[in-house]
Amino acid sequence: METPAEIRERWRYLRDLLIEQLGRFESGALQMHSHDENVSSGAIVMLKRHIIEFDELIARSIAREGPGHK
């Protein structure tokens, strides 16, 4: 099982990849065609909001762990 620090590190890596891809969607450099998925600008905004919310959740978790944890 992964430690909390390993989970946070993994999240940071995935977060950076996702933010990069969302930026490419917004700029038009990357396009996705799908039958059922919403890939509109509103969906991108929603994903970014979820990223920020998850970052805040992790920050609260770190604060609860106290000093000395990463």
Side-chain angles (χ1 to χ4, degrees):
M1 185 168 176
E2 291 177 302
T3 67
E6 290 170 330
I7 292 169
R8 286 189 295 270
E9 183 62 31
R10 192 167 159 197
W11 164 246
R12 286 184 201 109
Y13 172 74
L14 293 171
R15 175 192 182 276
D16 291 344
L17 287 177
L18 180 57
I19 288 173
E20 179 185 329
Q21 293 299 309
L22 291 173
R24 293 179 72 200
F25 279 123
E26 286 181 310
S27 74
L30 183 64
Q31 295 181 350
M32 180 184 292
H33 301 279
S34 175
H35 297 290
D36 298 300
E37 296 297 318
N38 181 0
V39 291
S40 68
S41 59
I44 292 172
V45 168
M46 181 189 68
L47 284 170
K48 285 184 171 183
R49 187 179 74 243
H50 287 301
I51 291 168
I52 291 168
E53 290 171 357
F54 199 74
D55 283 343
E56 291 169 354
L57 178 68
I58 289 173
R60 287 192 302 269
S61 173
I62 292 169
R64 282 195 302 269
E65 289 178 6
H69 287 86
K70 289 187 175 186

